[in-house]
Amino acid sequence: MMKLHTSVGGVSRQSSALQPRKGLSLRTPSGSLRAGQKVRAAEPISPLDILKQENQLLKQTIKETKGSISELERELANAGVDIPSLDNNLDVAAAPPTTPEDFWSPALTVPSNHRLIEKYGQSSPMPNHDGTECFKWDKLLWSQAGHFKYRWDVFRNIRNAIDQNEGGMDKFTQGYRHYGLNRGTHEGKTGIWYREWAPGAKALCLVGEFNNWQPKDQHWAFKNQFGVWELFLADVNGESAIPHRTKIKCRLETAGGEWVERIPAWIKWATQEWNEIQYNGVYYEPPEVGAPGEIDDNKSYTFKYPRPPRPRALRIYECHVGMSSQEPKINSYLEFRRDMLPRIRQLGYNAIQIMAIQEHAYYGSFGYHVTNFFAASSRFGTPDELKAMIDEAHRLGLVVLMDIVHSHASKNTNDGINMFDGTDAMYFHSGGRGNHWMWDSRLFNYGNWETMRFLLSNARWWVDEYKFDGYRFDGVTSMMYHHHGLSYTFTGNYEEYFGMNTDVDAVVYLQLVNSMLHDLFPSCITIGEDVSGMPTFCRPWQEGGVGFDYRLQMAIADKWIEVLKTKNDYEWDMGDIVFTLTNRRYAEPCVGYAESHDQALVGDKTIAFWLMDKDMYDYMAMPGHGPQSPVVDRGLALHKMIRLVTITLGGESYLNFMGNEFGHPEWIDFPRDDTYDTSTGAFIKGNGGSLDKCRRRWDLCDAPFLRYKLFNAFDRAMIHLDKAFGFVSAPHQWISRQCNGDKMIVVERGDLLFVFNFHPTNSYTDYRVGCKEGGEYKVVLSSDEEVFGGYRNVTKDNDATFRTQPGNHDNRPYWLQVYAPSRTVVVYALAEHADKEADRKPHGVPGLGIKGLGPYYER
């Protein structure tokens, strides 16, 4: 049975006993003694207070040092001594902050010639236990001890084999330096090595524009005892035998005697000409190295900015480069860098999760049918332009996550790795086990040595070469079970997770990739897309867990669609909603979200579209600019509430898909032709290759006369609320009220008090709510602010003070009385952290009433 990480109906279910995770602290608000508060014995000073004292001391030291230096300089000048100016090659000093994001998300500055140097960690030794160390979090797992011990033995044996036969995990996971095309030497000559594992091939050569697609004697490779074909092409007159950015393929004779052309499996770039159907591999090796931050077609990009520190909670902006344009076109890495990154920074998100980076021949697959695993998608630009985009994101303090696909591969034999050497297996299982009937794709054999080398190296490649900060692993449920989660309902019975249904090889691979990434790149973040709820999924591999940092809390989005699709407003069940939002395993962090790209795709509806549907076409004008609709009024109010209750209760981090923050209308429809469903044979009509619905209408959000800007403003304030208070990752979470009659939910998260009134018609005066801390409270965020499309029935501008009274209410030691208007959410904080004038100051975020940057600010 899954354990809940919350309290329901006022009865705590472990929430009060939460232990802080690494990087978190149990926080208490600073300030003087409040009325009614008892004087207690001296307690150890908090880390926050220590830091404040150290900062104050440091400031004083710097001030004194500067004074001493200035005095010495004056004395030297009076003595006639010339003082040379100090040139540290620093960037021009940053201008004084003028916009709110300059305060909340200041850009990094480094010396102009600064070059990022990656700092690697060391592979951890194998712990001396039997894989059951993770049972300390859940004693019920002892019923599955045999499975865990077996899984741990498999993992340990593979780790030992890698250490003994491959020189360790560090070397084993750098296959991209050995396989594919790489610069190197042979017999004293410099040139290009090409290596390809193709054990079933009878002959193999390299062809391309460099040899007019006709191989000469020196272009044929030799096969070693391990099934690896090797070829060395020496430079000619000091020039590379294969020029930079020229097309290449390997031509081979399959096991069946057929001659075919393949794109090298480890290719680093693949392109498609406008008048061709098939892709070509491209030799990508710029002849020069650029200066840090320099973008030049003939120079490799040199990273300039350091990786951002790992945040206490992720606020993820899920995005797709190609469809990020306002126009019906495929956007580029550099356009995303210029236009999208500042927008994301302004909203306050601290991470981007980029989809469709690995090359995929079929654009309409949303990047999930990968053909070239080591190639950055050429639709959006060059590999170095992707690097420049990531470096700029790091300058703005954004963590960059990649949506990586290791759960399956495209069946495409012309452009991908399927049937590479003519055999059905190679990187995949053979026969039915190697085919996903619903996705029409190939399934990896995670127990195969070369498959492990390929995938582990691929996971390292994107973090090492492109400086991604981590991954969202796609389709993990499909990987971990032989049934792939298809037509299967998980009830929470542990036999469903640890038995014959489980693909142990796949689970062990996930342990291997998590151990490698977290060891070698200590700040790396991994998120797994798992709908099954497998126990220990987010426990460290050192304990015997699978090793992910977060699990995507996928059930929440499904619940919201179910509620909106099947229930009227009076039928909304507060207890059912709260249960779904909080139904996650103790000590296994989750990323909560109300909707992702899945709900935005054609065939589904976003929350905004479920709420407002056709009225979005005619009634989105601001008052005074066009006709109004009660459907849109309702949709705006509930859209705000759904998102805030989800970020508050749905997990330890949060995700939003690009454009959904402002209620993007309609759906995403990639350009596609008529086709058939591979699983049912049903005809699927295409859209004539149109890009009209494969873009984001930023003009709607930016238009001052449309109500989309109201959705956007609330999302921005909600995200900045977490910047200031850190409530998303706060250990303290308590639901003191979930009343179906009143349609009320009252929540404490961190130091904040959230009061949700989902009732469609009832507003409540002097509504009594419980709270943990006594004292004076004020409004810091209200969905009823005018800037959010509200009616100002509750607004921070009133500067009302709500004083608590002692006494048990809803199992809380204090209570206060508030006004709760229909379909609103109001957030209260201790008065010392509130400022009704905040959004009229230079750092102000419209509608947010927080003093300064808040008590627990983190960018």
Side-chain angles (χ1 to χ4, degrees):
M1 182 183 297
M2 295 186 186
K3 295 184 178 178
L4 298 185
H5 184 183
T6 182
S7 59
V8 179
V11 180
S12 174
R13 297 191 183 181
Q14 299 186 349
S15 60
S16 60
L18 282 176
Q19 296 298 315
R21 299 195 312 277
K22 183 180 180 181
L24 297 178
S25 60
L26 290 173
R27 296 165 295 194
T28 56
S30 59
S32 60
L33 194 65
R34 293 186 293 273
Q37 186 175 2
K38 294 181 180 180
V39 178
R40 295 178 295 182
E43 295 179 353
I45 190 168
S46 72
L48 183 62
D49 290 331
I50 292 175
L51 184 59
K52 288 179 179 178
Q53 292 180 10
E54 289 177 346
N55 285 343
Q56 189 62 39
L57 182 60
L58 180 59
K59 289 178 182 178
Q60 183 65 28
T61 302
I62 292 173
K63 182 178 179 180
E64 293 173 357
T65 302
K66 285 183 177 179
S68 300
I69 292 173
S70 298
E71 184 178 351
L72 179 60
E73 288 177 343
R74 284 194 298 271
E75 292 177 359
L76 290 172
N78 292 335
V81 179
D82 290 331
I83 305 172
S85 60
L86 182 62
D87 181 11
N88 286 328
N89 292 319
L90 295 176
D91 285 342
V92 176
T98 58
T99 64
E101 50 267 31
D102 292 335
F103 292 91
W104 290 92
S105 305
L108 303 180
T109 55
V110 297
S112 59
N113 62 349
H114 181 269
R115 175 177 177 269
L116 172 65
I117 299 176
E118 190 76 72
K119 295 181 179 179
Y120 300 98
Q122 300 293 321
S123 293
S124 300
M126 281 295 298
N128 186 25
H129 61 74
D130 60 1
T132 61
E133 188 70 15
C134 52
F135 290 8
K136 63 187 177 183
W137 303 100
D138 183 358
K139 302 301 183 184
L140 295 178
L141 288 172
W142 280 108
S143 64
Q144 308 300 321
H147 181 95
F148 275 82
K149 291 176 181 179
Y150 171 71
R151 187 172 86 181
W152 186 253
D153 284 342
V154 174
F155 173 74
R156 179 171 51 203
N157 290 338
I158 292 175
R159 276 285 304 263
N160 290 339
I162 289 173
D163 290 341
Q164 295 171 11
N165 303 316
E166 298 285 354
M169 185 67 79
D170 184 20
K171 184 177 180 181
F172 184 62
T173 56
Q174 296 185 70
Y176 47 83
R177 300 190 188 279
H178 182 78
Y179 293 89
L181 295 113
N182 293 286
R183 297 289 296 171
T185 59
H186 178 60
E187 296 179 345
K189 298 179 180 179
T190 301
I192 300 170
W193 274 105
Y194 172 55
R195 296 183 179 92
E196 194 77 69
W197 179 65
K202 295 180 178 179
L204 186 148
C205 65
L206 202 60
V207 295
E209 291 177 320
F210 77 97
N211 62 7
N212 234 2
W213 300 97
Q214 295 299 322
K216 299 179 181 178
D217 290 346
Q218 64 268 31
H219 301 150
W220 290 88
F222 294 90
K223 185 178 181 181
N224 68 19
Q225 59 182 323
F226 302 108
V228 177
W229 296 86
E230 297 182 305
L231 168 66
F232 182 77
L233 298 175
D235 290 348
V236 180
N237 298 323
E239 298 290 333
S240 173
I242 306 177
H244 171 54
R245 293 186 72 160
T246 58
K247 301 172 187 174
I248 52 170
K249 282 190 175 181
C250 69
R251 184 175 295 161
L252 60 86
E253 182 183 8
T254 69
E258 179 186 7
W259 283 95
V260 297
E261 289 186 354
R262 300 282 190 250
I263 296 176
W266 299 71
I267 198 72
K268 296 167 186 173
W269 205 37
T271 62
Q272 181 189 40
E273 295 293 340
W274 68 270
N275 59 348
E276 294 181 356
I277 296 176
Q278 293 186 12
Y279 275 67
N280 288 288
V282 174
Y283 178 67
Y284 194 88
E285 193 71 41
E288 300 180 53
V289 177
E294 180 184 9
I295 303 174
D296 189 309
D297 285 345
N298 294 311
K299 296 179 180 179
S300 61
Y301 188 84
T302 301
F303 283 91
K304 183 173 184 177
Y305 297 97
R307 298 178 185 271
R310 181 170 175 161
R312 65 191 172 200
L314 294 167
R315 298 182 298 274
I316 302 170
Y317 198 81
E318 186 184 32
C319 49
H320 185 287
V321 171
M323 58 170 287
S324 63
S325 173
Q326 181 177 303
E327 304 301 323
K329 67 169 191 172
I330 297 176
N331 224 18
S332 71
Y333 297 123
L334 294 184
E335 288 169 317
F336 189 96
R337 176 181 186 265
R338 181 194 67 203
D339 301 330
M340 284 303 302
L341 292 180
R343 184 182 290 272
I344 297 166
R345 176 196 181 205
Q346 184 185 53
L347 285 169
Y349 290 86
N350 61 11
I352 57 176
Q353 180 179 297
I354 314 177
M355 307 173 64
I357 291 297
Q358 295 167 291
E359 190 58 89
H360 47 292
Y362 178 42
Y363 190 43
S365 73
F366 224 143
Y368 291 123
H369 278 208
V370 175
T371 44
N372 313 110
F373 282 77
F374 290 84
S377 182
S378 59
R379 285 186 184 87
F380 319 135
T382 69
D384 287 303
E385 288 168 347
L386 172 58
K387 293 177 181 179
M389 186 191 86
I390 294 172
D391 205 23
E392 175 66 6
H394 286 167
R395 185 182 77 86
L396 298 179
L398 295 170
V399 169
V400 185
L401 306 176
M402 175 177 153
D403 200 343
I404 195 168
V405 184
H406 281 183
S407 50
H408 63 134
S410 171
K411 269 189 174 179
N412 185 333
T413 56
N414 292 318
D415 305 313
I417 61 174
N418 183 30
M419 302 285 291
F420 190 91
D421 63 358
T423 61
D424 183 42
M426 206 171 157
Y427 292 109
F428 310 104
H429 288 292
S430 61
R433 189 179 176 188
N435 290 272
H436 197 294
W437 65 267
M438 179 173 283
W439 294 346
D440 192 33
S441 55
R442 295 305 311 273
L443 298 173
F444 287 106
N445 179 359
Y446 301 101
N448 178 283
W449 196 259
E450 293 304 323
T451 300
M452 283 192 287
R453 186 198 307 276
F454 184 81
L455 293 178
L456 288 171
S457 296
N458 187 244
R460 177 167 181 170
W461 164 255
W462 295 104
V463 176
D464 204 358
E465 182 70 15
Y466 286 87
K467 308 308 174 190
F468 279 96
D469 301 301
Y471 296 112
R472 176 256 198 194
F473 279 81
D474 174 69
V476 175
T477 302
S478 176
M479 296 173 65
M480 295 193 300
Y481 305 99
H482 294 301
H483 53 62
H484 310 301
L486 300 176
S487 302
Y488 193 93
T489 301
F490 290 92
T491 66
N493 187 318
Y494 283 4
E495 296 293 335
E496 298 167 349
Y497 307 111
F498 311 112
M500 298 303 293
N501 285 333
T502 308
D503 188 337
V504 173
D505 289 338
V507 176
V508 168
Y509 166 72
L510 294 172
Q511 290 181 298
L512 288 167
V513 73
N514 275 303
S515 67
M516 180 271 293
L517 289 171
H518 289 116
D519 279 355
L520 299 180
F521 304 92
S523 65
C524 186
I525 300 166
T526 60
I527 304 169
E529 186 198 33
D530 171 43
V531 72
S532 75
M534 175 181 275
T536 74
F537 187 80
C538 293
R539 293 308 308 164
W541 69 269
Q542 291 94 335
E543 294 181 0
V546 182
F548 284 99
D549 295 301
Y550 296 93
R551 184 202 317 269
L552 278 180
Q553 188 72 322
M554 301 174 69
I556 296 174
D558 293 337
K559 174 55 67 175
W560 284 123
I561 298 302
E562 174 198 323
V563 169
L564 294 171
K565 186 176 181 179
T566 65
K567 300 179 185 299
N568 66 49
D569 292 3
Y570 293 94
E571 295 173 334
W572 285 30
D573 187 328
M574 300 296 101
D576 184 42
I577 291 171
V578 166
F579 177 81
T580 302
L581 288 169
T582 57
N583 184 23
R584 55 189 183 271
R585 291 183 57 80
Y586 174 63
E588 296 196 38
C590 290
V591 176
Y593 59 96
E595 53 187 343
S596 69
H597 70 271
D598 286 327
Q599 287 71 42
L601 286 170
V602 65
D604 208 334
K605 289 184 181 181
T606 63
I607 288 176
F609 216 48
W610 276 111
L611 287 167
M612 295 174 284
D613 205 69
K614 65 181 185 299
D615 281 41
M616 296 184 76
Y617 296 111
D618 300 312
Y619 301 103
M620 291 301 291
M622 290 287 291
H625 291 273
Q628 303 296 294
S629 163
V631 173
V632 172
D633 294 341
R634 168 185 177 269
L636 174 57
L638 290 178
H639 193 274
K640 293 180 288 186
M641 296 184 71
I642 287 171
R643 296 174 76 82
L644 186 50
V645 76
T646 300
I647 194 175
T648 303
L649 292 177
E652 289 70 34
S653 286
Y654 178 73
L655 176 144
N656 164 66
F657 178 67
M658 176 175 68
N660 285 355
E661 69 276 6
F662 70 85
H664 198 288
E666 298 184 322
W667 53 85
I668 300 166
D669 193 7
F670 279 83
R672 53 192 172 83
D673 298 320
D674 295 347
T675 187
Y676 291 88
D677 188 305
T678 56
S679 59
T680 65
F683 174 75
I684 302 175
K685 184 174 177 56
N687 62 10
S690 172
L691 285 162
D692 184 60
K693 296 294 190 295
C694 193
R695 55 175 171 151
R696 297 281 87 179
R697 294 290 304 275
W698 306 114
D699 56 319
L700 301 178
C701 170
D702 297 338
F705 53 85
L706 294 178
R707 300 180 81 176
Y708 293 104
K709 70 174 187 178
L710 307 176
F711 294 81
N712 195 72
F714 184 78
D715 193 81
R716 184 184 179 202
M718 177 182 80
I719 294 298
H720 279 79
L721 183 69
D722 183 58
K723 274 180 174 280
F725 282 92
F727 68 91
V728 174
S729 59
H732 178 70
Q733 175 177 298
W734 190 285
I735 299 100
S736 61
R737 174 161 293 219
Q738 43 183 331
C739 178
N740 263 332
D742 294 343
K743 300 298 179 196
M744 293 287 294
I745 298 174
V746 180
V747 177
E748 298 167 16
R749 191 75 197 262
D751 291 348
L752 296 176
L753 178 64
F754 298 79
V755 180
F756 296 87
N757 180 2
F758 280 95
H759 203 286
T761 58
N762 289 353
S763 297
Y764 305 105
T765 58
D766 296 329
Y767 197 86
R768 185 172 295 190
V769 297
C771 60
K772 176 185 66 170
E773 295 287 342
E776 296 183 344
Y777 284 78
K778 288 189 175 184
V779 173
V780 290
L781 178 64
S782 168
S783 67
D784 206 34
E785 297 284 0
E786 186 176 12
V787 71
F788 307 140
Y791 302 98
R792 292 174 54 84
N793 290 308
V794 175
T795 171
K796 65 177 180 59
D797 293 337
N798 289 339
D799 203 29
T801 299
F802 302 86
R803 293 179 175 85
T804 63
Q805 298 295 326
N808 188 298
H809 181 74
D810 287 344
N811 290 320
R812 309 312 288 144
Y814 298 93
W815 57 267
L816 63 156
Q817 290 180 320
V818 301
Y819 178 43
S822 168
R823 288 185 180 142
T824 64
V825 52
V826 181
V827 185
Y828 300 88
L830 289 169
E832 64 199 70
H833 303 313
D835 178 6
K836 73 168 187 173
E837 302 292 334
D839 57 357
R840 289 179 276 275
K841 296 178 179 178
H843 71 276
V845 174
L848 198 60
I850 297 173
K851 185 176 181 179
L853 300 183
Y856 310 122
Y857 164 76
E858 183 185 85
R859 62 176 302 151

